């Protein structure tokens, strides 16, 4: 419980709107909101398996569809909305000390951009989760 509470507090980053950390089996490790959709999480665990599929279908999170614009080995991100109002999404995968995959998905609203949100997400994985981004 203590670890989950620490992660929950770390997810309360003022730059992030919604955030959830979960394991490769879809178990929720921490979230900063109630009502995480288990079916969405199950699909999100496969997001890094095939770049063309993920960019083609995008991501669904909290009932909203997001286009994916950037795809890297351990991080991907994109947006939804139009020029007047957009919400960004970023996802990171890493491995814990036991070699298990751990994922975090965040959303962020203007004026926060991916240039700020993504490094914060990576830092969260390295420092709070103590995970390795090197596969």
């Amino acid at each position: 419980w203590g670890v989950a509470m620490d992660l929950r507090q770390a997810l309360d980053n003022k730059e992030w709107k919604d955030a959830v950390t979960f394991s490769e089996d879809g178990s929720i490790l921490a979230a900063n909101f109630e009502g995480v959709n288990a079916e969405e999480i199950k699909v999100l665990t496969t997001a890094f398996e095939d770049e063309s599929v993920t960019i083609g279908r995008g991501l669904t999170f909290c009932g909203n569809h997001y286009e994916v614009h950037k795809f890297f080995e351990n991080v991907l991100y994109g947006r939804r909305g139009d020029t007047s109002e957009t919400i960004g999404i970023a996802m990171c995968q890493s491995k814990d000390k036991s070699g298990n995959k751990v994922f975090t998905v965040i959303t962020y609203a203007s004026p926060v951009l991916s240039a700020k949100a993504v490094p914060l997400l990576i830092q969260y994985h390295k420092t709070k989760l103590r995970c390795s981004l090197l596969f």
Side-chain angles (χ1 to χ4, degrees):
W1 170 253
V3 171
M5 182 57 85
D6 288 345
L7 290 179
R8 167 70 173 86
Q9 289 171 342
L11 286 175
D12 278 335
N13 185 308
K14 67 180 178 162
E15 309 295 344
W16 301 345
K17 185 176 179 290
D18 296 315
V20 61
T21 298
F22 52 97
S23 64
E24 61 189 315
D25 69 4
S27 299
I28 306 303
L29 304 176
N32 71 354
F33 64 97
E34 298 293 324
V36 176
N37 183 312
E39 287 302 312
E40 288 179 355
I41 297 300
K42 182 177 178 182
V43 173
L44 288 168
T45 63
T46 66
F48 288 96
E49 291 177 3
D50 189 317
E51 177 180 359
S52 61
V53 169
T54 299
I55 289 178
R57 76 173 181 216
L59 300 175
T60 300
F61 182 61
C62 294
N64 296 301
H65 182 267
Y66 296 83
E67 299 296 325
V68 174
H69 306 294
K70 297 291 184 183
F71 187 105
F72 301 100
E73 183 177 11
N74 299 311
V75 176
L76 56 87
Y77 53 95
R79 291 202 158 270
R80 73 174 176 87
D82 57 30
T83 55
S84 65
E85 183 180 337
T86 65
I87 304 291
I89 190 166
M91 182 173 179
C92 184
Q93 75 169 340
S94 59
K95 288 189 177 181
D96 65 17
K97 291 179 182 182
S98 299
N100 301 308
K101 288 183 182 178
V102 179
F103 305 92
T104 301
V105 176
I106 62 166
T107 60
Y108 46 94
S110 183
V112 177
L113 302 173
S114 58
K116 182 166 189 166
V118 171
L120 289 171
L121 176 59
I122 291 169
Q123 189 67 17
Y124 167 77
H125 268 253
K126 289 180 176 178
T127 60
K128 299 300 180 183
L129 297 176
R130 295 184 180 94
C131 287
S132 170
L133 297 180
L134 304 174
F135 289 165

